[in-house]
Amino acid sequence: MGNLSALTPSKDFSYKLKNMTEKELAIKSIGYRKNILKYIFHANAGHTGGSLSCIDILNVLYNHAMNVSPENFKSPDRDRYIQSKGHSVEALFVVLAGKGFFPESDLNTLCKYGSHYIGHPTRKVHGVEQNTGALGHGLPISAGTALAAKLDNRKYRVFTLLGDGELPEGSNWEAALTAAHYKLDNLCAIIDHNKLQITGPTSEVCNTNPIDAKFESFGWAVRHVDGHDLNELKETFDGLPFTEGKPNLVIAHTIKGKGVSYMENVIKWHHGVPSEKQYEDALSELDNAMVTIPDDF
Ligand SMILES: Cc1ncc(C[n+]2csc(CCOP(=O)(O)OP(=O)(O)O)c2C)c(N)n1
């Protein structure tokens, strides 16, 4: 295969019609959190904690970093987002609805018989790039998609979101090796590092630490980021590729259940539906957070 590193991904940010301020993004994040809870509550099912931990990342990807919209979704040059931790589909659905990929009212059918809005991403939903949910598939598919961009002389980037509990899947490590071999600097994997998975702390179920040293030894460029700091996320994604010729890994330090105090860092909220009282408490906590967002930060 030729010198693939010769084609670096695009740094043309002209598609950013409006560079959102941190306050505007913060307002969006709270709205998304409320919607995640709303639709999980009405569906009586869903992955609550992991959707709340990754929502700030999705917010910055879709409203700042990525060149993708309902208008360009058929274009071969659009940036791709593949959500490997497919169980947190509620986060993806509320962001896609907010971008106008489909009417938000569609989410009233979440997890209902016959609906496309099921508990994991499916391409039957406009805006979803890949079916996922069986953990360990997103990174290999994303590496292949990024390799296709190089072979086709296209400058799109591929973003994929993994859970830290998903990381032990062997297919991730094959993909990590392959992405470095093919110098896929147009690939950005993000780990939602909330330190918990379905049955306990990630480090106790299957320890993958140190994640950074492992990926660096495979030939990746790695950054750590506070996965709830919207400005830090913006700056990190603006810095892509971190090193020409190397795939990019963002280790986003997050809190499972972030934004709803009784859910934060509590394993049982991996999946779980709040009672009516818990739902109302969560909404008022988020409403309160909305009015206390500082003007400038
Ligand atoms: C191949 C496979 N094995 C097991 C599962 C069941 N499962 C769903 S979520 C989950 C835990 C994932 O933990 P993590 O990736 O840390 O997700 P997060 O905490 O970010 O929600 C597991 C084991 C699955 N979806 N796919």
Side-chain angles (χ1 to χ4, degrees), residues 207-258:
N207 188 18
T208 48
N209 292 321
I211 299 171
D212 50 6
K214 287 192 174 73
F215 272 84
E216 276 161 1
S217 77
F218 274 59
W220 286 56
V222 181
R223 297 284 183 279
H224 287 267
V225 63
D226 175 341
H228 303 302
D229 184 322
L230 300 163
N231 255 354
E232 219 182 306
L233 285 165
K234 274 168 81 173
E235 283 166 17
T236 302
F237 293 131
D238 283 350
L240 290 168
F242 303 141
T243 306
E244 204 171 301
K246 288 188 173 191
N248 310 279
L249 180 72
V250 175
I251 302 175
H253 294 266
T254 58
I255 294 171
K256 208 155 173 173
K258 172 75 178 171

Side-chain angles (χ1 to χ4, degrees), residues 72-104:
N72 78 351
F73 195 64
K74 288 205 168 129
S75 163
D77 294 315
R78 73 191 181 284
D79 286 339
R80 271 66 161 178
Y81 171 76
I82 295 172
Q83 185 159 311
S84 196
K85 46 168 273 178
H87 55 279
S88 298
V89 72
E90 292 86 9
L92 179 59
F93 282 165
V94 300
V95 171
L96 291 179
K99 288 284 286 183
F101 279 94
F102 51 81
E104 198 196 295

Side-chain angles (χ1 to χ4, degrees), residues 149-165:
K150 298 272 185 186
L151 294 171
D152 291 345
N153 269 348
R154 297 204 175 271
K155 292 198 168 186
Y156 66 79
R157 288 100 41 90
V158 186
F159 296 83
T160 183
L161 180 75
L162 288 81
D164 51 8

